[in-house]
Amino acid sequence: MGWSYGAFVAAHWASRNPDRTLGAVLVDGAQLYDWLDEAMEQRIQKLFRRMGWFLPLLRPTA
């Protein structure tokens, strides 16, 4: 488990030690901008395009 910068450290450690990691709880951590590969970025963009009709309904609720 990691909070803030600890979340970044926990994610880094888990990625370096997958055989010793069952899971990770990352709270309020920032990832570097190059954390996503191109395929992941395209999947996220596709998801937001699909949800485009719904997002204006969520804006008033912040």
Side-chain angles (χ1 to χ4, degrees), residues 27-58:
V27 180
D28 198 23
Q31 291 291 338
L32 301 175
Y33 69 91
D34 62 349
W35 177 65
L36 300 174
D37 62 355
E38 191 172 327
M40 177 70 81
E41 189 174 337
Q42 288 175 358
R43 287 194 298 265
I44 291 171
Q45 288 175 352
K46 184 178 180 181
L47 176 65
F48 271 84
R49 280 195 298 272
R50 285 184 181 171
M51 292 175 37
W53 67 272
F54 187 66
L55 293 177
L57 300 173
L58 294 177

Side-chain angles (χ1 to χ4, degrees), residues 10-29:
H12 177 75
W13 187 88
S15 70
R16 297 283 183 138
N17 300 285
D19 55 331
R20 298 176 63 192
T21 305
L22 294 176
V25 177
L26 309 175
V27 180
D28 198 23

Side-chain angles (χ1 to χ4, degrees), residues 1-4 6-11 23-27:
M1 179 180 163
W3 187 307
S4 189
F8 179 75
V9 173
V25 177
L26 309 175
V27 180

